[in-house]
Amino acid sequence: MKNKISNAVLMRLPRYYRYLSDLLKNGEDRISSKKLSEIMGLTASQVRQDLNHFGEFGLQGYGYNIQFLKNEIGKVMGIDHPNSMVLLGYGNLAHSIIKYSGFKSKGFTIKAVFDRSNKKCGTYIDGIPILPLNELEDYINNNDINIIIVTIPKDAAQNIISNLKVSKKIGIWNFASTDLKTPSNFVVENVHLSESLMRLTYKLWGENKIQKRS
Amino acid sequence: MKNKISNAVLMRLPRYYRYLSDLLKNGEDRISSKKLSEIMGLTASQVRQDLNHFGEFGLQGYGYNIQFLKNEIGKVMGIDHPNSMVLLGYGNLAHSIIKYSGFKSKGFTIKAVFDRSNKKCGTYIDGIPILPLNELEDYINNNDINIIIVTIPKDAAQNIISNLKVSKKIGIWNFASTDLKTPSNFVVENVHLSESLMRLTYKLWGENKIQKRS
DNA sequence: TAGATTGTTAATCGATTAACAATC
DNA sequence: TAGATTGTTAATCGATTAACAATC
């Protein structure tokens, strides 16, 4: 019995899920660790080690059943649960998240949007109500919300999160470029776009440039 | 002399840059590896090891000069170069990237947007021309573009990238949920939002659930 | 059965941490 | 100078790869 998967595995898990989904769509029904490792650019050994963290998903001499494996990984990642989300901030990024349709099919629902601006409040976007910020805490507590998507600037975000009184477990999907400080019942996943862009420029400009006087 | 920093270090570098920027804004001018490690949640040892990949940036008995260190890390990541970008696709996500102002100050400029829809072509958004897809290749070759931001669906994205004839080094900032296959003069940095969201649900639902029959 | 392929242990590799001499 | 703190080597830890017995 293992209690926690390593961060290295967690970073790869959703990618397995995506490849398995694609294989299913192509009508495949089984795959070996060797083939899967080839299309994903890993080693077969690593694939087997990774999948073995959770249980015995494969069958000797056969490989893995793709549908079963996909489901199991989905369960491990918690996307078999419905997840109800609210958006904190209604700017352009929030708008594009609302308009992105890919989440719905995986059980993610955006229930409400909270914005500072009184002009926007009271209206709806795609059937989702835009509400005033001072109703956020009550809304979370009364509508089994478990995810807050943060798309407002970092100082405002930290301020609001710090003052939230919520006792259940809450996930924060954080697009603000800061490391939010949260109470222990919060978990945070960051999407730091500007850091991602810097990693790209490193790959463009930095790779052959590093040298240390020796 | 070291030629390449490890991926683990690359993942941390932009975060150093962000913390150093914040420290500068607060009027600080020097910091020790111990203090920096405390505010970033790392060990002092790791900070010194990380920074030593690039040169001797510190001074015994003193610590690191924040402005100097920030500049040097900026250089390592290549953000001292101007970067000219084009957007591939003009949907809601592309719109929010255009509207996001944070990049400009770091030398990133969006030069043009390319979209399949003929209705949009010929118009401007915030002074940026929206052009037809068939002009993409020429535009990249003639306007020292070095970054393509991909915000169109994966199949269309792969198709267009596969057929691009460009010989200079190009970076792709990929928001499509696929691992793009590219020629060797391309480098890719992925922003897989749905994978990020799954890591969040893992933190919410998965952490205490994993068990293997033993 | 024979071939294929897993699950798992052992070996290797790489990244993190600890320790301390060098030196500002 | 004495105290502070780096740069760097050595020790530890963890993740990846290799190997192979188990078994479908």
Side-chain angles (χ1 to χ4, degrees):
Chain A
M1 171 157 158
K2 293 169 188 181
N3 273 324
K4 205 166 181 302
I5 63 173
S6 70
N7 190 59
V9 176
L10 176 57
M11 292 301 288
R12 283 191 293 270
L13 265 197
R15 194 157 168 266
Y16 282 115
Y17 191 84
R18 174 156 56 82
Y19 274 86
L20 292 167
S21 302
D22 287 349
L23 285 164
L24 262 190
K25 264 180 222 138
N26 293 342
E28 310 283 334
D29 64 340
R30 57 182 267 197
I31 193 158
S32 67
S33 58
K34 182 157 185 293
K35 279 239 187 72
L36 187 55
S37 71
E38 278 162 8
I39 59 176
M40 291 185 66
L42 306 169
T43 64
S45 227
Q46 181 163 61
V47 169
R48 292 203 296 280
Q49 288 280 25
D50 283 352
L51 300 182
N52 244 138
H53 278 92
F54 320 112
E56 281 143 43
F57 290 172
L59 200 62
Q60 278 104 327
Y62 173 88
Y64 299 86
N65 178 286
I66 295 172
Q67 178 71 65
F68 175 76
L69 187 55
K70 182 193 160 189
N71 287 159
E72 291 299 312
I73 291 181
K75 281 187 213 165
V76 169
M77 293 192 303
I79 57 174
D80 55 328
H81 297 80
N83 288 287
S84 295
M85 319 195 281
V86 296
L87 268 159
L88 183 47
Y90 181 45
N92 292 298
L93 179 59
H95 185 77
S96 70
I97 292 172
I98 291 170
K99 290 293 185 180
Y100 178 67
S101 57
F103 303 140
K104 284 160 207 156
S105 63
K106 285 177 190 144
F108 293 94
T109 318
I110 298 172
K111 288 288 179 64
V113 183
F114 292 84
D115 198 89
R116 173 179 72 145
S117 151
N118 287 321
K119 263 184 290 180
K120 295 174 185 170
C121 295
T123 63
Y124 289 79
I125 167 75
D126 287 8
I128 301 164
I130 302 177
L131 304 173
L133 267 182
N134 60 16
E135 294 180 14
L136 175 65
E137 185 175 296
D138 282 349
Y139 194 94
I140 292 173
N141 282 317
N142 299 328
N143 294 274
D144 59 37
I145 298 303
N146 62 336
I147 292 176
I148 304 172
I149 309 175
V150 172
T151 65
I152 58 177
K154 57 183 177 178
D155 294 332
Q158 183 60 70
N159 198 30
I160 290 168
I161 298 296
S162 297
N163 290 304
L164 266 190
K165 279 171 197 66
V166 179
S167 56
K168 64 186 164 185
K169 195 163 192 180
I170 293 285
I172 297 196
W173 201 22
N174 176 41
F175 289 77
S177 67
T178 190
D179 298 309
L180 290 170
K181 292 176 206 84
T182 62
S184 60
N185 56 316
F186 283 55
V187 292
V188 180
E189 165 75 17
N190 291 309
V191 181
H192 288 329
L193 293 178
S194 60
E195 296 187 11
S196 171
L197 187 53
M198 288 184 204
R199 282 191 288 272
L200 179 62
T201 55
Y202 172 76
K203 292 172 189 170
L204 269 172
W205 300 102
E207 300 249 68
N208 300 308
K209 198 169 69 177
I210 293 167
Q211 48 180 51
K212 240 185 93 165
R213 48 192 180 287
S214 54
Chain B
M1 171 155 158
K2 294 168 189 180
N3 272 323
K4 206 167 180 301
I5 63 173
S6 70
N7 191 59
V9 176
L10 177 56
M11 292 301 288
R12 282 191 294 271
L13 264 198
R15 196 159 167 265
Y16 282 114
Y17 191 84
R18 175 157 55 82
Y19 275 86
L20 292 167
S21 301
D22 288 349
L23 285 165
L24 262 191
K25 265 182 221 136
N26 292 342
E28 309 283 333
D29 65 340
R30 57 183 266 199
I31 194 158
S32 66
S33 58
K34 182 155 185 291
K35 279 241 186 70
L36 187 56
S37 72
E38 278 161 9
I39 60 176
M40 292 185 66
L42 306 169
T43 63
S45 229
Q46 182 163 60
V47 169
R48 290 203 296 278
Q49 288 280 25
D50 284 353
L51 301 183
N52 245 135
H53 277 92
F54 320 112
E56 282 142 43
F57 290 172
L59 200 62
Q60 279 104 327
Y62 172 89
Y64 298 87
N65 178 286
I66 296 172
Q67 178 71 65
F68 175 76
L69 186 55
K70 182 193 160 190
N71 286 158
E72 291 300 311
I73 292 180
K75 280 187 211 165
V76 169
M77 294 192 302
I79 56 174
D80 55 328
H81 297 80
N83 288 288
S84 295
M85 321 196 280
V86 295
L87 267 159
L88 183 47
Y90 182 45
N92 292 297
L93 180 59
H95 185 76
S96 69
I97 292 171
I98 291 170
K99 289 294 184 180
Y100 178 67
S101 57
F103 302 140
K104 285 161 207 154
S105 63
K106 285 176 190 143
F108 294 94
T109 318
I110 299 173
K111 288 288 179 65
V113 184
F114 291 84
D115 197 89
R116 174 180 73 148
S117 151
N118 287 322
K119 261 183 292 180
K120 294 174 186 169
C121 294
T123 64
Y124 289 79
I125 166 75
D126 286 8
I128 300 164
I130 303 177
L131 304 172
L133 267 183
N134 60 16
E135 295 180 13
L136 175 66
E137 185 175 296
D138 282 350
Y139 194 95
I140 292 173
N141 283 316
N142 299 328
N143 294 273
D144 61 36
I145 298 302
N146 63 335
I147 293 176
I148 304 172
I149 309 175
V150 172
T151 66
I152 58 176
K154 56 184 179 178
D155 294 332
Q158 182 61 68
N159 199 29
I160 290 167
I161 298 297
S162 297
N163 290 304
L164 267 190
K165 279 169 197 69
V166 178
S167 55
K168 62 186 164 185
K169 194 162 193 181
I170 293 285
I172 296 197
W173 200 23
N174 175 42
F175 287 78
S177 67
T178 190
D179 298 308
L180 291 170
K181 291 175 206 85
T182 62
S184 60
N185 56 315
F186 283 56
V187 292
V188 180
E189 164 75 17
N190 290 309
V191 180
H192 288 330
L193 291 178
S194 61
E195 296 187 10
S196 172
L197 187 53
M198 288 185 204
R199 283 191 289 270
L200 179 61
T201 55
Y202 171 76
K203 292 173 190 169
L204 269 171
W205 301 102
E207 299 248 69
N208 302 307
K209 199 168 69 177
I210 294 166
Q211 49 179 51
K212 239 185 94 166
R213 49 191 179 288
S214 54

